[in-house]
Amino acid sequence: MNTPPSPSGAEHTDGSSIRLGALVPLTRPGWVEAGRHLLAGLDLAVREVNDAGGIDGRPLELVVRDTAADPERAAAAVDELAHLGVAAVVGEYHSVVARAAAARADALGVPFLCSSAVLDTLTEAPTEWVARLAPAQSYGWRIYADFLLRAGRRRIAVATQASVYWASGTRVLRDHLAPRGGTVLELDATLTPGALCDALVDHGATGLLLLVGHPEPAVPIVRAVRGDRRLAEILIGAPAGQPEFAEWAAALGEDGAGIPFLRYLPERLGPLGERVGKELRERLGEAPSFVAFEGWDTVAVLAAVLRAHGTDRAAIAGSWPRVAVEGTRRPIQFSRTPGISVWQWAWTPIQVVDRDPAEPDRFRILHAG
């Protein structure tokens, strides 16, 4: 592996901390609640590593940078973190932001373990420097499309905004549904909620998927559709996971229930997942989302790599194919997956779930992949 000239992250030999750069959306327009859960998982795992003696006696230190869902800000943060001598960069939730961070990490020769972003093409060309825990969008969204077909929903409309991520998701859905008798109609999310409802009626849509940001414009769209008697039988879905977080339920109440989304958890957690979940719940003051588990698993992987291979950046990146770590959701290993340019965990457990209309704080598993 050719290593570009940059700090190796291996300079410290005096017992000082091993730094990990963490990219997290902590301010708007980033998805702040997702960022809070991701950071909680990262921080909990770092504290547990340090309580157990660190890495050969050296503590881990998270150097956190807020990306605010801004790709340029994320790329600049990778530059800064590389200069600070971090051994690796971890984190990020937003796919378009993670793509910018991955490209910069690849260019600088800094290992990047992406926690939560799913866009298939995190880098334009195959790279040894980047690995990912979250499932690729093409995998997870095909499972969601299978759920739609099983539910008898074949005339699907998507309310979508301009974004590589949403465009990629729309393409996955169309490619999977079309050969099975399904159709996908794209509706511009800049339509007024009333005009969007009229378009759904005119099209005879049986499903509406929210490929849009939260809370705007997702919340007003849901309110409009729920309030339109003509659309009483339509299924509203949100494959990107907007209903996962408590602020969704707080904003929409009963209207936010019964909206299926993708969640990356097994039907039942094992002993490790149960223990970590309890700790995360105490830390967050609410049930941890799958994003919090992704954060914990990220640090667990890096800690194992650092113990086995040290802090040299090239050695860390070279270790991805040899990772074998017990994660909170199942054992984690990375492989080269067709169509994916980074080292990929194939695959985390995937569920389609919704909030129970009778009890919106309870999740129902509707389909598993």
Side-chain angles (χ1 to χ4, degrees):
M1 182 185 304
N2 295 322
T3 307
S6 63
S8 71
E11 293 85 351
H12 303 290
T13 57
D14 57 357
S16 60
S17 63
I18 299 171
R19 290 178 160 187
L20 296 179
L23 304 177
V24 188
L26 296 175
T27 55
R28 297 289 185 191
W31 200 332
V32 174
E33 195 168 8
R36 186 170 69 90
H37 280 236
L38 179 56
L39 184 57
L42 294 168
D43 187 63
L44 173 63
V46 165
R47 289 179 182 270
E48 290 183 355
V49 168
N50 290 341
D51 288 347
I55 308 297
D56 295 330
R58 296 171 61 188
L60 283 180
E61 176 189 352
L62 276 185
V63 184
V64 180
R65 292 295 179 266
D66 174 20
T67 64
D70 184 337
E72 292 184 4
R73 185 165 172 171
V78 174
D79 280 344
E80 179 196 1
L81 293 166
H83 181 72
L84 290 174
V86 298
V89 174
V90 300
E92 195 44 47
Y93 177 80
H94 298 282
S95 281
V96 175
V97 179
R99 187 173 66 157
R104 196 68 193 132
D106 182 43
L108 294 173
V110 178
F112 174 36
L113 179 52
C114 181
S115 303
S116 198
V118 301
L119 192 67
D120 282 37
T121 53
L122 271 186
T123 56
E124 293 299 323
T127 176
E128 301 295 320
W129 293 99
V130 183
R132 173 170 55 192
L133 289 175
Q137 187 179 28
S138 60
Y139 180 74
W141 286 43
R142 283 197 299 267
I143 290 171
Y144 194 91
D146 284 336
F147 159 74
L148 293 173
L149 293 170
R150 285 186 57 188
R153 310 289 176 157
R154 283 177 164 75
R155 294 180 65 82
I156 304 300
V158 297
T160 186
Q161 295 172 299
S163 161
V164 171
Y165 175 61
W166 300 126
S168 172
T170 300
R171 186 166 55 252
V172 171
L173 293 167
R174 180 175 285 119
D175 289 350
H176 196 72
L177 291 173
R180 296 163 178 84
T183 61
V184 176
L185 170 71
E186 293 185 54
L187 298 175
D188 192 328
T190 61
L191 288 170
T192 66
L196 191 142
C197 288
D198 290 341
L200 293 173
V201 173
D202 292 343
H203 181 62
T206 58
L208 167 65
L209 304 187
L210 303 170
L211 308 192
V212 295
H214 170 72
E216 300 290 335
V219 168
I221 290 174
V222 171
R223 286 182 178 143
V225 174
R226 291 294 199 214
D228 193 320
R229 292 183 179 180
R230 300 173 298 171
L231 299 170
E233 300 302 318
I234 199 168
L235 179 143
I236 306 175
Q242 295 93 325
E244 168 79 12
F245 297 100
E247 66 176 331
W248 174 271
L252 283 163
E254 292 181 358
D255 283 347
I259 297 180
F261 63 94
L262 286 168
R263 182 169 72 164
Y264 308 136
L265 288 174
E267 186 173 353
R268 289 184 178 82
L269 292 167
L272 175 61
E274 289 283 358
R275 179 188 69 74
V276 172
K278 181 180 178 182
E279 296 283 347
L280 288 168
R281 179 184 287 272
E282 292 177 0
R283 180 173 289 247
L284 289 163
E286 61 188 17
S289 69
F290 68 85
V291 181
F293 288 98
E294 287 174 328
W296 194 95
D297 286 342
T298 299
V299 172
V301 168
L302 257 298
V305 167
L306 290 165
R307 290 189 183 104
H309 303 285
T311 59
D312 177 76
R313 289 174 178 170
I316 292 170
S319 74
W320 301 135
R322 296 191 293 278
V323 165
V325 173
E326 187 64 31
T328 57
R329 296 162 294 163
R330 70 171 49 157
I332 297 170
Q333 294 181 295
F334 298 113
S335 61
R336 284 299 191 188
T337 303
I340 309 297
S341 59
V342 302
W343 286 99
Q344 176 71 52
W345 178 23
W347 302 96
T348 177
I350 295 180
Q351 305 167 345
V352 179
V353 304
D354 71 358
R355 290 180 175 271
D356 187 344
E359 190 181 341
D361 287 337
R362 188 177 79 86
F363 294 108
R364 304 183 299 182
I365 300 175
L366 308 175
H367 181 68

